[in-house]
């Protein structure tokens, strides 16, 4: 028994040392000053809630949001229109005011592209993307949304497995359904921060939290835009979150082809749960980390920006922090 306990304590100590080393390595990523050119170039995105298409929001709400969109240099918005049914059907009754919203929005913000945000949980007993009939119904819904006047389709299925063929098939089929002139985009999970870590996370969580860089590249090659959901990271402190996002930015820049628009997610919501510390995951930390990660490139990438999540919880203070951190940060002395 004594021998067993000694071995057990030694193993635990080794794990603690490894975890401490990994934490130090992650936090180190959030160091140094970003380059002056690592700022917004006017290509950024915003996820918008369902109230815009079901009649909950109108002229007054748009008048309040529009100045934030302009000042935030938002070029693309993803407006929630779902969710899909578990069989892939999208009921048009979920977005009865889409036409009126699009007319109102384009009159106010004619240069901002509007994509329909479509999604559903993809787990046992829920939407099955391996089923051809379910995918066909998803495509029917996408075609209806394009007929309603949206500029494109933005998918957000969670959780999606790493190296999954079904999602790649859906993207190819969607492109055929909506045509080359329409925007096709998707929200994507975080990138595996260290090679091999996904296996352990999968064993512990029972699902993939991360995608490999190779799979992200493969998905990105099928779309016009990808938005990395660089929040809900389970990082418990500002330094760890900042280091994680800086690392995510570097990995995503390497994986996503230059001709594809890459957005890095910025959190602006109050939720606190097992995978999010709202005191660590802030717009200030996210934008600084993104700038640090971007600064590792030789020059400013044209098709690169941020995506703020989400309009209906973002406060005036968070919008200001986003602008100060990304759109027009103060010059370094």
């Amino acid at each position: 028994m004594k021998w067993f306990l000694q071995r057990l304590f030694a193993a635990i100590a080794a794990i603690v040392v490894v975890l401490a080393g990994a934490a130090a390595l992650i936090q180190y990523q959030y160091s140094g000053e970003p380059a002056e050119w690592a700022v917004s170039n006017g290509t950024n995105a915003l996820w918008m809630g369902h109230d815009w298409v079901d009649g909950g929001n109108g002229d007054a709400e748009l008048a309040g949001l529009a100045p934030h969109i302009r000042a935030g240099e938002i070029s693309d918005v993803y407006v929630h229109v779902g969710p899909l049914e578990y069989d892939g059907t999208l009921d048009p009754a979920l977005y009865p005011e889409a036409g009126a919203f699009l007319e109102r929005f384009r009159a106010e913000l004619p240069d901002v592209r509007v994509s329909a945000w479509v999604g559903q949980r993809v787990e046992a007993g829920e939407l099955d993307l391996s089923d051809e009939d379910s995918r066909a119904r998803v495509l029917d819904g996408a075609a209806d949304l394009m007929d309603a006047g949206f500029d494109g389709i933005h998918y957000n299925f969670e959780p999606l497995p790493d190296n999954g063929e079904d999602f790649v098939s859906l993207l190819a089929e969607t492109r055929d359904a909506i045509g080359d002139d329409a925007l096709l985009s998707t929200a994507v999970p975080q990138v595996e921060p260290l090679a091999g870590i996904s296996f352990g996370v999968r064993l512990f969580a029972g699902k993939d939290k991360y995608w490999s860089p190779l799979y992200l590249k493969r998905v990105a090659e099928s779309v016009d835009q990808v938005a990395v959901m660089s929040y809900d990271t389970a990082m418990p402190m500002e330094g760890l979150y900042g280091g994680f996002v800086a690392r995510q930015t570097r990995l995503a820049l390497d994986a996503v082809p230059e001709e594809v628009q890459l957005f890095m997610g910025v959190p602006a919501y109050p939720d606190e749960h097992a995978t999010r510390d709202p005191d660590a995951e802030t717009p200030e930390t996210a934008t600084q980390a993104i700038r640090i990660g971007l600064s590792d490139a030789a020059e400013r990438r044209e098709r690169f920006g941020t995506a703020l999540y989400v309009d209906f919880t973002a406060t005036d203070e968070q919008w200001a922090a986003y602008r100060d951190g990304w759109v027009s940060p103060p010059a370094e002395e």
Side-chain angles (χ1 to χ4, degrees), residues 30 230-231 238 241 245 265-270 276-291 306-310 313-327:
Y30 189 54
S230 41
Y231 40 78
E238 176 186 342
Y241 176 64
V245 172
V266 175
Y269 57 100
R276 180 165 193 260
D277 177 354
D279 294 326
E281 296 194 5
T282 65
E284 294 92 336
T285 304
T287 52
Q288 177 74 355
I290 291 167
R291 292 188 66 209
T306 59
L308 191 72
Y309 183 89
V310 59
T313 57
T315 64
D316 289 343
E317 291 76 15
Q318 288 171 324
W319 272 109
Y322 172 76
R323 293 192 300 270
D324 292 344
W326 176 244
V327 178

Side-chain angles (χ1 to χ4, degrees), residues 96-146:
E97 299 299 318
F101 159 72
L102 289 170
E103 182 177 358
R104 185 185 310 118
F105 188 91
R106 287 174 175 146
E108 183 72 26
L109 297 158
D111 297 327
V112 179
R113 297 177 292 190
V114 187
S115 292
W117 169 10
V118 180
Q120 181 53 272
R121 299 292 296 175
V122 184
E123 292 182 303
E126 300 185 358
L127 178 61
D128 181 7
L129 292 181
S130 69
D131 180 69
E132 291 186 6
D133 291 337
S134 294
R135 290 206 309 274
R137 285 187 282 268
V138 174
L139 297 176
D140 289 341
D144 289 343
L145 290 165
M146 295 305 299

Side-chain angles (χ1 to χ4, degrees), residues 247-322:
R247 173 71 173 161
Q248 287 292 299
T249 302
R250 296 178 182 111
L251 290 169
L253 282 165
D254 288 341
V256 175
E258 289 193 9
E259 64 271 18
V260 177
Q261 176 73 40
L262 169 60
F263 295 122
M264 297 301 299
V266 175
Y269 57 100
D271 300 10
E272 180 175 6
H273 44 73
T275 60
R276 180 165 193 260
D277 177 354
D279 294 326
E281 296 194 5
T282 65
E284 294 92 336
T285 304
T287 52
Q288 177 74 355
I290 291 167
R291 292 188 66 209
I292 289 173
L294 179 60
S295 297
D296 278 355
E299 58 184 357
R300 178 65 164 85
R301 177 165 165 167
E302 179 182 356
R303 292 183 173 87
F304 180 89
T306 59
L308 191 72
Y309 183 89
V310 59
D311 80 298
F312 55 85
T313 57
T315 64
D316 289 343
E317 291 76 15
Q318 288 171 324
W319 272 109
Y322 172 76

Side-chain angles (χ1 to χ4, degrees), residues 202-219:
R202 188 183 304 116
L203 287 179
F204 178 77
K207 59 185 179 183
D208 286 319
K209 177 175 176 58
Y210 304 121
W211 277 2
S212 67
L214 287 176
Y215 186 59
L216 174 57
K217 179 178 185 292
R218 187 178 176 198
V219 167

Side-chain angles (χ1 to χ4, degrees), residues 6-16:
Q6 288 175 336
R7 290 296 182 91
L8 177 61
F9 291 148
I12 293 173
I15 291 173
V16 170

